Amino acid sequence: NLLGWDPSTMALSYSVLMMLGFGYLIALVLVLHASLRAQILVTAGILLGYWAVQMAIPFPGRTPGQFLPGGIFSDWLYDETIGRLEAPWKSRYGRGWPVTLFNHGATAMLGVLACALLRRSPDPRRVVRHLLLGGAALLLLGLLWSFLLPIVKNRWSSSYVLWCGGLSWMLLGIFHWLVEIRGWRRWAGLFVVIGSNSILAYLISTRFMDPFRSVAKILFNGLEPYLGSYWHGVWMALASYGLVWLLLLHLRRARIFLKL
C-alpha cells in the first residue's frame, strides 16, 4: 500500500521473484568466487544447515523434531524480532526470514549446476541423460527427506528445494531433447515470445491485466449470446492473454527486452 503514503497501513509483501532475486545474489557470489566442487559442497551445506537450524535449535515452546507453523526456529526468530515491530515492518508474510533466504540461494544454485552440465558435455544426448537421472535423484532425495523435513513452499524447506529442483532438471532435460536433439522448434514459438520478456509477462499477468481485459471486453463482449456464459468466459480469458502475447511479440520483433 505504498501509494497510500501512510506507513501504518503498509506491510512487507512477498513475491517468489523477490525470493529468487535474493537467491541469485548468493549464487552470484559462489559462481564468481568458488570452484564447481566448492559450489556443490556449499549448496549441500546450505540445505543441511537449514534442516539443522530449523529442527535442532531450542527455543521456548519448541516440540523437538516437528515442523509446524510457529514451531520452527525461523518462525520463533521472526516473532521475537521483526514481528514485535509496528507497521510497515510486521507482515504476515515475514515468518521464515531470514533463515529461508539461504535456501533461495540453494534453489538458484541447482540452476547453476544444471547449466554446468549443459556446458561441460559436448554430447547433447549425454546431457539429457544426466539431467533426467539427476532430476530423478533430486526427486527421490526430496521425497525421502520429506519424512523428516516436510515439503513446504512458504517456508522453502530443503526437501522443497530438492523436489522442485528435480522437477526442473527433468523438464529441462525433456525440452533439451525436444529442441536440441529432435529439432522440434516451431511449436516453441509461443513460449519463446513469453520468455523473451518473462519479467514483463509476469508483471502484466499479476498486476496490470485490467487494461487488456477491458480491450477484450470492447472487442468480444457481444459474443456472449452466441457462446453462452461459460464458453464466453473462456474466450475472454484467451483473448485477454492473447492481447498480452501480441504485445510481447511486438516487443520481441522490435528487440525491446525488459531486464533486471
Side-chain angles (χ1 to χ4, degrees):
N1 195 28
L2 293 178
L3 297 181
W5 293 97
D6 181 1
S8 66
T9 65
M10 298 177 187
L12 294 177
S13 187
Y14 170 88
S15 166
V16 170
L17 284 181
M18 181 174 67
M19 301 301 102
L20 295 179
F22 283 115
Y24 292 154
L25 178 61
I26 295 173
L28 177 66
V29 173
L30 289 173
V31 169
L32 291 179
H33 301 288
S35 65
L36 180 60
R37 176 186 174 88
Q39 292 172 25
I40 295 172
L41 292 175
V42 170
T43 302
I46 289 174
L47 296 174
L48 291 169
Y50 175 98
W51 181 32
V53 166
Q54 296 284 48
M55 306 296 279
I57 294 181
F59 58 85
R62 163 182 278 287
T63 301
Q66 291 191 359
F67 194 91
L68 300 171
I72 55 177
F73 176 76
S74 62
D75 288 6
W76 174 83
L77 179 64
Y78 178 84
D79 291 343
E80 294 298 316
T81 53
I82 300 175
R84 293 181 177 272
L85 302 177
E86 301 295 330
W89 304 109
K90 185 176 181 179
S91 168
R92 64 190 181 95
Y93 298 111
R95 272 186 157 186
W97 272 69
V99 177
T100 56
L101 173 63
F102 297 96
N103 264 7
H104 301 318
T107 296
M109 284 306 302
L110 289 182
V112 170
L113 298 177
C115 183
L117 280 178
L118 291 172
R119 290 185 173 185
R120 284 173 172 262
S121 177
D123 182 2
R125 295 181 183 276
R126 185 179 180 187
V127 168
V128 169
R129 185 165 60 251
H130 286 171
L131 287 172
L132 293 177
L133 291 175
L138 290 174
L139 283 174
L140 179 60
L141 287 174
L143 179 62
L144 293 175
W145 205 350
S146 70
F147 292 104
L148 300 175
L149 181 68
I151 297 174
V152 180
K153 175 183 178 291
N154 61 10
R155 292 301 183 272
W156 219 272
S157 62
S158 298
S159 54
Y160 172 79
V161 173
L162 294 178
W163 183 259
C164 291
L167 290 174
S168 298
W169 275 41
M170 296 189 77
L171 286 171
L172 180 59
I174 291 170
F175 285 116
H176 194 70
W177 177 78
L178 287 173
V179 174
E180 300 298 334
I181 296 177
R182 301 296 299 178
W184 296 348
R185 303 191 178 193
R186 289 187 178 181
W187 65 274
L190 171 70
F191 304 106
V192 170
V193 169
I194 297 171
S196 297
N197 268 299
S198 57
I199 300 297
L200 179 60
Y202 174 83
L203 290 175
I204 291 175
S205 66
T206 57
R207 294 291 183 267
F208 305 110
M209 278 301 299
D210 285 347
F212 297 92
R213 292 191 180 102
S214 297
V215 173
K217 186 175 181 179
I218 292 171
L219 294 174
F220 303 112
N221 205 41
L223 293 176
E224 185 170 6
Y226 304 99
L227 297 176
S229 59
Y230 176 81
W231 288 108
H232 181 257
V234 173
W235 174 256
M236 292 298 288
L238 292 173
S240 300
Y241 285 99
L243 291 170
V244 176
W245 189 84
L246 289 175
L247 171 63
L248 297 174
L249 175 63
H250 169 72
L251 293 176
R252 175 174 168 79
R253 288 179 173 177
R255 302 189 65 78
I256 299 174
F257 307 107
L258 175 65
K259 302 293 183 183
L260 296 180

